[in-house]
Amino acid sequence: MRTQVVIIGSGPAGLLLGQLLHRAGIDTIILEQKPKDYVLGRIRAGVLEQGTVALVEEAGAGVRMRHEGLVHDGTEIAFGGVRHRIDFQRLTGKSVLIYGQTEVTRDLMDVREASAAPTVYEALDVSIHDVQTENPKVRWCADGKKFEIGCDYIVGCDGFHGVSRQTIPENELRTYERIYPFGWLGILVEKPPVSDELIYVNHERGFALCSMRSMTRSRYYLQCSLDEHSEDWTDDKFWEELTRRLDPEAVKKLQTGPSIEKSIAPLRSFVAEPMRFGRLFLAGDAAHIVPPTGAKGLNLAASDVGYLSRALIERYKTNSDLGLDAYSQRALARIWKAERFSWQMTNLLHLVPGASGFDQKVQGAELEYLFKSTAAQTALAENYVGLPY
Ligand code: APR
Ligand code: PHB
């Protein structure tokens, strides 16, 4: 078998790339190790930059997103029991769209199925070969049979634990990592959100975040330690602790209820360089991870795909390798800015175990400076709504 581009992983990065290339007349196949429902069952974040929204629309999967997504012109940061609004519209002229990553994934899967472009779910033991030749190959097993496909390029959109980055020899790859000494305990609840905009909370008991998926479904997070398990947290204990960390006005408006999902996620910053090895390219979580505090995970995957899809289309349309040769450097330039922003937001808003009194005072001073400085608010807003590609 042969195709032009093999994509490994049917998460948002792989699906978005698949559709952008398909619409440009480039043949692709997506190989996904999990069943479709498993991929759709993962609860992830849901803050979309305008650049991500534009790419999803360009892929032909924007109708429901536009219809159901919530436009947010700002966000709030609570400190010392007081909320401070960061006005994205006034400071940058831009807004973000609140629309769950799971919904983006579902919409992209639907348009891929409608376009009859091939996806193999439950493709097991995917392996990558000959990427330093002009005929790279991918092998996998499905239904107990072995398959091999030849192609021009392979794109690893298989996330942090995928096979693609592991295929790159260690001496060809540089990795950078920061693991944070805390996690996020998140719940999903069929209740109206506590506020029309997100609330990021810096509290002496730890960070909290009030987010939403719609005006009837809310998502809340609490900073927790890494040795805790979600089973240790009853819904009542969760609501009790959240109430302790929220400002009085939010407490009055908070609508609690039974959680429909509850999980703990560790916080990590990670970057692998370069994002190319021969005819193998990496995109999304396969090459980088950000802590969720800056809402950059999905948006970085999208910008990678934005750069790579343009470069591949340029290659097939004009026979030029310029875009492909510049891909890794271009994507990494934007990735490191988002890594910095996500690291900064994480340090600004969390209770760091073992932090000295001096550290805590400096954190408080940085927040007070932010609330009084238009320049600091503009910097935060520019990064939050998304830096230009
Ligand atoms: N073979 C085939 N598929 C694989 C393999 C493999 N060896 N390893 C992983 N996969 C699949 C996973 O099952 C998953 O469906 O690759 C997909 C990777 O998807 P994501 O982890 O969602 O990564 P990505 O598409 O880059 O999306 C990044 O996801 O985690 C969030 O915050 C992150 O929002 C960001 C987004
Ligand atoms: C979410 O809605 O899940 C969410 C929103 C903003 C973040 C992280 C997660 O920074």
Side-chain angles (χ1 to χ4, degrees):
M1 292 189 283
R2 190 176 169 76
T3 188
Q4 292 177 297
V5 180
V6 174
I7 298 169
I8 304 175
S10 177
L15 288 162
L16 184 59
L17 179 65
Q19 281 326 99
L20 291 170
L21 296 182
H22 178 80
R23 292 173 77 93
I26 297 168
D27 292 337
T28 64
I29 184 171
I30 295 182
L31 302 175
E32 166 59 53
Q33 65 177 356
K34 297 289 185 185
K36 179 181 175 186
D37 291 345
Y38 177 94
V39 176
L40 284 172
R42 289 184 307 227
I43 301 295
R44 296 270 178 75
V47 178
L48 310 185
E49 298 171 353
Q50 290 183 354
T52 304
V53 170
L55 283 171
V56 172
E57 283 180 326
E58 196 183 320
V63 177
R64 201 164 66 101
M65 176 183 66
R66 276 288 178 208
H67 192 245
E68 296 175 12
L70 305 170
V71 175
H72 279 198
D73 293 333
T75 192
E76 296 190 290
I77 297 180
F79 179 57
V82 180
R83 282 166 29 201
H84 305 264
R85 185 165 186 267
I86 308 292
D87 186 335
F88 301 150
Q89 255 317 322
R90 180 175 62 80
L91 296 161
T92 69
K94 290 184 177 172
S95 56
V96 294
L97 193 72
I98 304 297
Y99 187 66
Q101 175 175 322
T102 312
E103 306 316 316
V104 173
T105 305
R106 187 190 308 281
D107 297 340
L108 287 165
M109 280 180 177
D110 290 348
V111 290
R112 188 165 181 87
E113 268 164 38
S115 71
T119 300
V120 180
Y121 290 103
E122 299 180 74
L124 306 178
D125 308 328
V126 168
S127 60
I128 296 168
H129 307 271
D130 309 333
V131 293
Q132 292 189 296
T133 74
E134 297 200 345
N135 295 302
K137 298 172 189 62
V138 179
R139 297 185 186 122
W140 71 96
C141 299
D143 306 326
K145 291 195 223 81
K146 291 188 176 184
F147 296 87
E148 177 182 292
I149 189 164
C151 58
D152 303 325
Y153 301 102
I154 300 169
V155 183
C157 297
D158 47 356
F160 185 74
H161 302 287
V163 63
S164 302
R165 191 180 68 250
Q166 294 165 32
T167 300
I168 303 177
E170 266 186 38
N171 60 349
E172 298 280 348
L173 205 62
R174 296 178 302 283
T175 61
Y176 306 84
E177 186 166 43
R178 170 67 51 87
I179 294 180
Y180 300 87
F182 40 75
W184 277 16
L185 168 65
I187 71 166
L188 199 58
V189 60
E190 289 292 3
K191 288 289 179 184
V194 69
S195 173
D196 292 342
E197 294 180 332
L198 274 56
I199 310 174
Y200 288 86
V201 182
N202 173 305
H203 190 274
E204 61 192 12
R205 296 177 64 86
F207 169 83
L209 170 61
C210 304
S211 181
M212 62 200 74
R213 291 291 172 272
S214 69
M215 292 319 282
T216 58
R217 176 177 282 197
S218 299
R219 180 81 165 148
Y220 296 99
Y221 296 96
L222 289 174
Q223 173 183 350
C224 64
S225 64
L226 286 175
D227 55 13
E228 294 185 66
H229 303 283
S230 56
E231 304 78 56
D232 306 336
W233 284 81
T234 61
D235 288 352
D236 289 349
K237 182 180 173 190
F238 183 95
W239 293 123
E240 203 185 305
E241 183 57 36
L242 180 64
T243 303
R244 283 203 182 111
R245 299 185 191 183
L246 292 182
D247 61 280
E249 192 204 329
V251 169
K252 259 187 276 154
K253 291 184 63 188
L254 181 65
Q255 295 190 42
T256 66
S259 62
I260 56 174
E261 191 271 351
K262 190 187 296 172
S263 56
I264 292 182
L267 271 64
R268 176 204 309 261
S269 297
F270 174 86
V271 178
E273 299 182 358
M275 294 169 67
R276 177 190 186 170
F277 180 66
R279 293 203 171 204
L280 171 63
F281 294 84
L282 303 180
D285 278 17
H288 46 78
I289 301 285
V290 284
T293 329
K296 290 292 165 225
L298 175 62
N299 295 301
L300 275 184
S303 57
D304 290 350
V305 166
Y307 293 129
L308 189 53
S309 59
R310 295 206 185 334
L312 284 164
I313 292 167
E314 178 193 32
R315 171 68 182 72
Y316 283 110
K317 302 290 181 217
T318 71
N319 223 11
S320 160
D321 282 332
L322 286 179
L324 290 176
D325 294 346
Y327 165 67
S328 180
Q329 198 185 348
R330 241 185 226 149
L332 285 166
R334 191 169 194 275
I335 289 159
W336 274 111
K337 294 188 188 86
E339 289 285 347
R340 182 209 65 78
F341 174 65
S342 306
W343 165 84
Q344 182 202 22
M345 286 283 278
T346 302
N347 291 326
L348 185 64
L349 296 172
H350 287 77
L351 176 65
V352 179
S356 68
F358 179 83
D359 295 336
Q360 287 174 3
K361 283 288 185 183
V362 166
Q363 191 190 61
E366 191 173 350
L367 283 162
E368 292 303 343
Y369 166 68
L370 172 67
F371 302 145
K372 299 255 177 340
S373 159
T374 303
Q377 289 179 25
T378 304
L380 189 154
E382 278 179 352
N383 282 278
Y384 197 97
V385 300
L387 299 173
Y389 284 21

